[in-house]
Amino acid sequence: MAEKLLEINDLKLYFNKGTANEVRAVDGISFDIYKGETLGLVGESGCGKSTTGRTIIRLYNATDGEVLYKGENVHKAKNKAQLLKFNRTMQMIFQDPYASLNPRMKVLDIIAEGIDLHGLAKSKEERTKKVHELLETVGLNREHAGRYPHEFSGGQRQRIGIARALAVDPEFIIADEPISALDVSIQAQVVNLLKKLQREKGLTYLFIAHDLSMVKYISDRIGVMYFGRLVELATSEQLYNNPLHPYTKSLLSAIPLPDPIYERNRKRVAYDPASHQYTDQEDVKMREVTPGHFVLCSEKEYLEMKKTSSVTTE
């Protein structure tokens, strides 16, 4: 059994809590991430997936729940030494490669920020050498260190962002829609780079995206979010071959394929939240329908899914 690196227990993040304008961006979600794997987190815009990533890394303070990293509660880290230790092991790659880099800083100093903060270079020469090695690791040249962000394309900027995240030798990286702002031809290059770095450095990823086909390509397991809640969690194969939650089925039906005949006959599955409401008396929670395949459902729905799944696998 793989080592459990991250454990999320009933995590909540509410904005304007207790007011008429309360927004439950993350509403009691739980999942684990194991060392060396990539967990994909998908859902439509506004479902809370990016907020989940930012809460895990403590860019937002959780309203309730736990984020345990190697058994330690991230949100209970109080002093500077504890925070620095945590920040070194967990890094984030941001969605917008244009806004996430300081336009007034050279690439050398952008990448070296973490090196400086954690005292990872004993001299200016060692600092520069580390940055040059990082640039080459992500497919850029050491000559790029003396340039400013505006001199690069979107794909190159995202590589700089990846180099910055790698600078402190993290174990876990949250990639928050790292390819959504890039051209399709560049997206594959960035994802392949992430997979290559994972193999070479033993990294663990939380890969947040709304492109289901790309998430399937990079992820070992996938969690589906809807309105702040996790509605389904399974391996990539399980989720794509046997989706169980109506919302997941709707998402998968929207994926286009480069096949004209298929596209002419493809039928979209509409998800109507009104037809999937629960009463206050119903026990709605994540239930394991088949080994490793969890769905947010009531007891009645669980028994029906269990019955259907057993017929499907026979």
Side-chain angles (χ1 to χ4, degrees):
M1 187 68 178
E3 175 191 346
K4 188 185 294 183
L5 194 66
L6 196 75
E7 186 176 347
I8 312 299
N9 296 318
D10 199 26
L11 186 66
K12 298 177 183 177
L13 194 285
Y14 296 171
F15 295 106
N16 302 319
K17 185 183 178 185
T19 70
N21 297 320
E22 180 178 271
V23 176
R24 297 187 173 190
V26 181
D27 194 15
I29 66 173
S30 301
F31 59 89
D32 301 325
I33 300 179
Y34 296 91
K35 188 173 178 62
E37 81 164 336
T38 296
L39 177 70
L41 198 58
V42 301
E44 62 193 70
S45 296
C47 71
K49 56 190 185 296
S50 290
T51 305
T52 298
R54 288 167 180 257
T55 306
I56 288 172
I57 204 169
R58 203 171 158 166
L59 290 178
Y60 295 138
N61 288 318
T63 302
D64 200 2
E66 290 182 323
V67 177
L68 302 178
Y69 186 79
K70 290 187 173 180
E72 295 184 23
N73 195 326
V74 168
H75 287 265
K76 285 190 175 176
K78 293 286 196 312
N79 59 51
K80 186 177 179 182
Q82 287 177 313
L83 288 172
L84 278 175
K85 177 187 173 185
F86 162 69
N87 289 336
R88 183 175 174 185
T89 57
M90 189 185 297
Q91 287 288 302
M92 193 163 193
I93 300 168
F94 294 94
Q95 177 178 356
D96 190 344
Y98 298 89
S100 62
L101 304 180
N102 189 332
R104 294 182 178 85
M105 292 174 66
K106 290 184 177 180
V107 168
L108 175 68
D109 298 316
I110 289 172
I111 295 175
E113 277 187 295
I115 295 172
D116 297 338
L117 183 63
H118 295 278
L120 302 179
K122 297 177 182 177
S123 64
K124 186 176 179 181
E125 291 73 23
E126 185 180 351
R127 177 182 187 260
T128 302
K129 182 183 177 184
K130 282 180 177 289
V131 172
H132 287 167
E133 289 172 351
L134 286 162
L135 284 169
E136 291 174 349
T137 297
V138 299
L140 296 173
N141 301 319
R142 58 178 58 201
E143 290 76 19
H144 290 141
R147 299 183 186 177
Y148 290 92
H150 73 267
E151 299 179 67
F152 297 91
S153 66
Q156 288 175 320
R157 290 188 201 196
Q158 197 58 288
R159 288 172 185 266
I160 294 167
I162 294 170
R164 177 176 58 185
L166 293 173
V168 294
D169 295 320
E171 293 179 274
F172 177 61
I173 291 179
I174 298 173
D176 182 14
E177 302 210 40
I179 59 174
S180 63
L182 305 177
D183 292 340
V184 174
S185 59
I186 305 301
Q187 289 180 0
Q189 294 178 20
V190 173
V191 168
N192 286 333
L193 172 61
L194 290 172
K195 287 172 72 76
K196 174 175 176 283
L197 292 170
Q198 185 175 42
R199 289 193 303 270
E200 293 175 353
K201 297 179 178 292
L203 295 169
T204 304
Y205 293 137
L206 174 62
F207 188 85
I208 300 168
H210 59 263
D211 184 340
L212 281 156
S213 54
M214 190 61 78
V215 170
K216 182 186 180 186
Y217 174 65
I218 194 173
S219 303
D220 300 297
R221 293 185 299 137
I222 299 173
V224 180
M225 283 192 72
Y226 180 74
F227 268 67
R229 303 194 76 178
L230 198 64
V231 298
E232 191 159 359
L233 177 65
T235 66
S236 295
E237 292 302 317
Q238 286 175 322
L239 194 83
Y240 277 78
N241 295 333
N242 185 32
L244 296 177
H245 195 279
Y247 179 65
T248 307
K249 293 178 182 179
S250 177
L251 284 181
L252 291 174
S253 73
I255 300 176
L257 292 177
D259 182 342
I261 297 174
Y262 170 83
E263 286 300 311
R264 275 198 299 270
N265 299 299
R266 176 163 62 99
K267 293 181 180 179
R268 290 287 306 273
V269 177
Y271 177 60
D272 181 10
S275 66
H276 201 243
Q277 298 293 327
Y278 301 103
T279 66
D280 292 338
Q281 287 74 37
E282 286 183 288
D283 181 22
V284 179
K285 61 183 180 181
M286 292 292 282
R287 303 173 191 270
E288 191 171 16
V289 179
T290 59
H293 196 156
F294 297 84
V295 185
L296 183 71
C297 59
S298 65
E299 177 73 17
K300 181 181 177 182
E301 289 172 326
Y302 166 72
L303 294 173
E304 187 61 37
M305 289 177 189
K306 194 84 174 168
K307 189 189 303 180
T308 306
S309 296
S310 64
V311 171
T312 305
T313 54
E314 286 176 358

